[in-house]
């Protein structure tokens, strides 16, 4: 029987009536490792990366995986081995990237609130660049570097003031956001950075938001950033690299974002036209590398039909999959056995957490019974990395599938681990 693939998920398919990721039946993994369980496809991640690599063929470019999307060590290791650098946002992410074997010179450090200790750790590790987000941060970074007898390589994150047309919580390139240095202040900030003794200006960066599904905001941001580059270089400050951030969206529910290589063909055409096509280029994709490579398996605990709404209560919850509660995000939900059907009762798919916001999907047509298992789709990005222990729920286990093989890459958290740092009163 030919496998029936799920749109947007090239490595996920029903064979017979069983949902497989690559060559592995997901029900067998749920049986073996329990639920909730995150399962990722290695091929899907490498294929997503390959789209960027194709887009940059023949250019001096580096993909710095924005590891906040999914920072599990084995996934970082996979990307490090495939030639990625990393975009980090904390000292914790620095340690993770190094533990996974990242080359420190390929690490860039973003974020509006780097502490002195985080700066010092990153300087001592020898990272490639600090993406600085304010003039106050420039001063502190220069002082920290000087105290270590080092010079910090810096890029300024400029805010191009373009609308990424995405959810307000994940839009970052507009004036009212806390991110970046305002376009109008950028040249002065570059002069300031250039004059500070502990800094070495190496680049410019921008990041306009996340889950962007059109090319237009990128093209707008590119022109705005290149206008600044013209002005900065005219002032005698040379930029070795241009970093266009991350943000490319994925298909959660029929969205049609451009493919990474198609997007970059358009951006490179503009870069070439403006004479910057041979400059060193960096990108910081997160979601588009891992989002549709992962699913979260969950078991139906109870069905609770009602007059107004019927609830399908599953064992995964907002602590495992925070995106619906936080951003009203849509994740597909499909059965591990049988086929998705529109011809079934509608359910509110909810978790066991004591919050009305603990829902995973509204009005989902599912032919389900208690004990059945479901897959929550597009769960590779911003799920495990945002998971919490709310309601004293241990965090799920994670498995990476590679062809017919399945590797446990994170054991399920245990209750003693959860309570280990707590101290009872005398
Ligand atoms: N670079 C910077 C400076 C960022 O702030 C981000 C994401 C990225 C790169 C990667 O963006 P991506 O390619 O993944 O869109 N938790 C939210 C997304 C928050 C994104 C934060 N910054 C969600 O689940 O939708």
């Amino acid at each position: 029987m030919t496998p029936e693939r799920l749109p947007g998920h090239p490595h996920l398919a029903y064979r017979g009536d069983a949902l497989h990721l690559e060559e592995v039946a997901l029900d067998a993994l749920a049986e073996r490792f329990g639920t909730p369980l995150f399962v990722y496809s290695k091929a899907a991640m490498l294929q997503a990366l390959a789209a960027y690599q194709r887009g940059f063929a023949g250019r001096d470019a580096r993909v710095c995986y924005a590891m906040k999307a999914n920072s599990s060590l084995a996934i970082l290791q996979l990307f490090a081995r495939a030639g990625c650098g990393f975009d980090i946002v904390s000292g914790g992410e620095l340690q993770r990237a190094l533990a996974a074997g990242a080359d420190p010179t390929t690490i860039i450090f973003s974020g509006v609130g780097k502490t002195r200790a985080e700066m010092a750790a990153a300087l001592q590790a020898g990272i490639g660049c600090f993406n600085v987000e304010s003039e106050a941060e420039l001063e502190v970074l220069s002082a920290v570097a000087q105290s270590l007898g080092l010079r910090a390589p810096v890029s300024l994150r400029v805010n191009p003031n373009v609308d990424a047309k995405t959810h307000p919580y994940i839009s970052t390139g507009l004036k009212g956001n806390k991110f970046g240095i305002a376009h109008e202040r950028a040249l002065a900030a570059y002069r300031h950075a250039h004059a500070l003794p502990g800094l070495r200006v190496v680049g410019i960066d921008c990041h306009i938001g996340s889950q962007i599904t059109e090319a237009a905001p990128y093209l707008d941001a590119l022109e705005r950033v290149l206008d600044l580059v013209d002005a900065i270089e005219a002032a005698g400050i040379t930029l070795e690299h241009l970093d266009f951030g991350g943000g490319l969206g994925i298909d959660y529910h029929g969205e049609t974002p451009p493919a990474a290589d198609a997007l970059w063909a358009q951006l490179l055409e503009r870069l070439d036209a403006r004479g910057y096509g041979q400059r060193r280029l960096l990108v910081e994709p997160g979601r588009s590398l891992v989002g549709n490579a992962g699913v979260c398996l969950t078991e139906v605990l109870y069905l609770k039909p009602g007059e107004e709404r019927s609830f399908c209560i599953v064992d995964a919850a907002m602590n495992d999959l925070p995106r619906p509660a936080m951003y009203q995000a849509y994740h597909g939900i499909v059965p591990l056995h049988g086929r998705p059907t529109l011809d079934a009762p509608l359910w509110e798919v909810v978790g066991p957490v004591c919050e009305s916001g603990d829902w995973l999907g509204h009005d989902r047509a599912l032919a389900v019974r208690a004990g059945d298992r479901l897959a929550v789709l597009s769960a590779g990005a911003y799920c495990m990395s945002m998971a919490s222990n709310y309601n004293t729920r241990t965090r799920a286990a994670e498995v990476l599938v590679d062809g017919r093989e399945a590797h446990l890459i994170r054991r399920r958290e245990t209750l003693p681990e959860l309570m280990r740092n707590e101290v009872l009163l005398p």
Side-chain angles (χ1 to χ4, degrees), residues 262-390:
L263 174 67
W264 275 93
Q266 286 189 63
L267 293 170
L268 286 167
E269 194 178 308
R270 286 307 302 153
L271 280 162
D272 286 338
R274 294 194 55 173
Y276 292 110
Q278 294 310 314
R279 203 60 70 97
R280 159 153 274 239
L281 304 173
L282 302 185
V283 283
E284 308 166 357
R287 186 190 323 263
S288 53
L289 293 182
V290 293
N292 272 342
V295 295
C296 179
L297 309 185
T298 183
E299 184 172 316
V300 177
L301 298 173
Y302 302 103
L303 294 179
K304 191 169 165 183
E307 252 172 53
E308 275 187 29
R309 285 175 147 185
S310 295
F311 293 95
C312 169
I313 303 165
V314 300
D315 67 358
M318 65 189 289
N319 72 299
D320 306 294
L321 295 158
R323 303 191 66 259
M326 276 186 84
Y327 320 109
Q328 291 77 49
Y330 182 99
H331 286 263
I333 302 177
V334 299
L336 293 199
H337 276 286
R339 300 278 165 120
T341 165
L342 295 176
D343 192 23
L346 297 184
W347 300 97
E348 285 289 299
V349 181
V350 301
V353 164
C354 303
E355 298 260 357
S356 296
D358 181 28
W359 59 278
L360 304 181
H362 295 307
D363 291 334
R364 301 306 176 87
L366 292 165
V368 273
R369 286 180 310 192
D372 286 355
R373 295 190 182 112
L374 303 170
V376 179
L377 306 183
S378 312
Y382 301 112
C383 292
M384 190 59 178
S385 61
M386 290 173 66
S388 79
N389 296 117
Y390 189 38

Side-chain angles (χ1 to χ4, degrees), residues 52 64-69 87-89 108-111 131 133 157 166-167 169-172 179 205-212 218 243-249 252 283-290 322-323 326-327 329 331 381-383 385-386:
Y52 282 92
C64 292
Y65 168 53
M67 60 181 279
K68 62 168 81 69
D87 172 44
I88 65 168
V89 290
I108 55 182
F109 192 170
S110 301
N131 288 351
E133 302 226 16
R157 175 169 177 183
T166 181
H167 190 284
Y169 282 11
I170 53 177
S171 179
T172 52
F179 298 102
D205 65 283
C206 77
H207 171 80
I208 55 175
S210 198
Q211 184 55 14
I212 300 169
Y218 280 104
D243 172 353
F244 293 100
L248 182 57
Y252 284 102
V283 283
E284 308 166 357
R287 186 190 323 263
S288 53
L289 293 182
V290 293
R323 303 191 66 259
M326 276 186 84
Y327 320 109
H331 286 263
Y382 301 112
C383 292
S385 61
M386 290 173 66

